[in-house]
Amino acid sequence: MKKLIAAGLLGLYSFAAQALTLPEESRVPGGIALIPLEGLPADKRPSAWYKSNRVMVLSTRDTPLADKAHWVAVAGIPLKAKPSQKQHLRASATSYYFNIEGKEYRAQYLTVKNKRHVNPDPEDIARWRREKAEMVAAFKHWSTPKQPVTQFILPAKGPFSSPFGLKRFFNKQPRNPHSGLDIAAPQGAPIIAPAPGTVVAVGDYFFNGQTVIMDHGNGLTSLYCHMSRTDVKIGDKLNTGDAIGAIGKTGRVTGPHLHWTVSLNNTRVDPLLFVEGK
Ligand SMILES: [Zn+2]
């Protein structure tokens, strides 16, 4: 009897895995807006743009938005977006406007031993600028896989030690907000691909340490950093569960953990919006 139930559940699960699950909507800075592209024809996938970045567009077939429009834009909202300003998204020649709400992220105070990680010298800054350009190019990578990726599993096992969006102070000095989710895990523990994708950057960066960036298609990319080891190279095609590298404490850290960034339309958003049952 138990076996039958398990088989039944598995059957349901594999059916569910075929249908497209949209990420969770959260119209706040650092969140995601799902904008039904009303009035656009079904025969051609429109291209959409938001704040000069190309935006993911999915078919609404088999989704709760199917009776509103044929297509939905899935747009990442920047942490610095202002709730007082109407947001403007363009698809084909049509403008779509939407509002966002404010979100108050908590502050976090960290102390790091390497003072250059708080006040980099001019050489460090020049290096970081080059590395940032390399990372932004990876975040802007555009590809269109047959099966769009809209869901992630967690890339490492462990407690969430710092959520996305925290306002950050290093050695009491204000710095950029936390652009990802931290998962605490022991040095050397595995980091896996949370969805299919292609490796588009591998580097050893000033702040991020050993880093890998994956492209999942339609403007969705993900970054893994502070690793002790990377197991992949640029161009590798990974499936869910494939090894990326190992947990470490390289770059600007207070201890071993994975920093996991998820980027949509070159905009860093809360990774957990893509994780079901987190
Ligand atoms: Zn982090």
Side-chain angles (χ1 to χ4, degrees), residues 78-249:
L79 270 171
K80 59 175 189 282
K82 298 242 179 321
S84 56
Q85 283 168 2
K86 243 192 184 3
Q87 305 296 304
H88 174 225
L89 181 137
R90 187 168 53 81
S92 296
T94 309
S95 281
Y96 297 86
Y97 294 93
F98 63 99
N99 290 314
I100 58 170
E101 285 173 21
K103 180 166 179 177
E104 202 50 49
Y105 289 99
R106 282 189 298 118
Q108 183 183 44
Y109 296 84
L110 296 167
T111 306
V112 292
K113 286 193 195 114
N114 181 346
K115 296 214 165 34
R116 273 167 62 187
H117 278 149
V118 181
N119 297 108
D121 63 32
E123 251 172 65
D124 298 334
I125 292 171
R127 174 181 162 190
W128 170 77
R129 286 220 172 100
R130 286 194 303 275
E131 294 170 352
K132 194 179 176 200
E134 198 173 305
M135 285 186 269
V136 167
F139 288 136
K140 285 185 167 181
H141 217 265
W142 189 268
S143 66
T144 48
K146 265 204 188 101
Q147 184 66 38
V149 170
T150 54
Q151 292 284 292
F152 289 129
I153 61 167
L154 292 169
K157 281 198 187 111
F160 301 154
S161 46
S162 291
F164 170 87
L166 292 176
K167 292 174 193 152
R168 276 204 150 161
F169 296 82
F170 284 94
N171 302 359
K172 296 185 182 153
Q173 299 177 49
R175 290 294 178 267
N176 283 336
H178 192 222
S179 59
L181 168 71
D182 287 352
I183 302 176
Q187 174 95 3
I191 300 168
I192 57 162
T198 305
V199 175
V200 288
V202 179
D204 188 357
Y205 300 136
F206 182 70
F207 287 120
N208 286 345
Q210 293 210 51
T211 303
V212 169
I213 304 181
M214 285 183 73
D215 171 24
H216 306 282
N218 300 295
L220 179 63
T221 58
S222 59
L223 173 148
Y224 309 80
C225 69
H226 307 315
M227 288 192 260
S228 58
R229 189 186 79 231
T230 56
D231 295 337
V232 293
K233 58 182 191 308
I234 290 177
D236 282 357
K237 291 195 187 326
L238 306 183
N239 282 314
T240 308
D242 285 351
I244 294 180
I247 299 280
K249 49 180 182 181

Side-chain angles (χ1 to χ4, degrees), residues 56-95:
M56 177 185 284
V57 174
L58 301 172
S59 166
T60 58
R61 206 170 13 155
D62 301 328
T63 77
L65 299 172
D67 49 358
K68 281 201 169 169
H70 298 294
W71 305 100
V72 56
V74 182
I77 304 163
L79 270 171
K80 59 175 189 282
K82 298 242 179 321
S84 56
Q85 283 168 2
K86 243 192 184 3
Q87 305 296 304
H88 174 225
L89 181 137
R90 187 168 53 81
S92 296
T94 309
S95 281

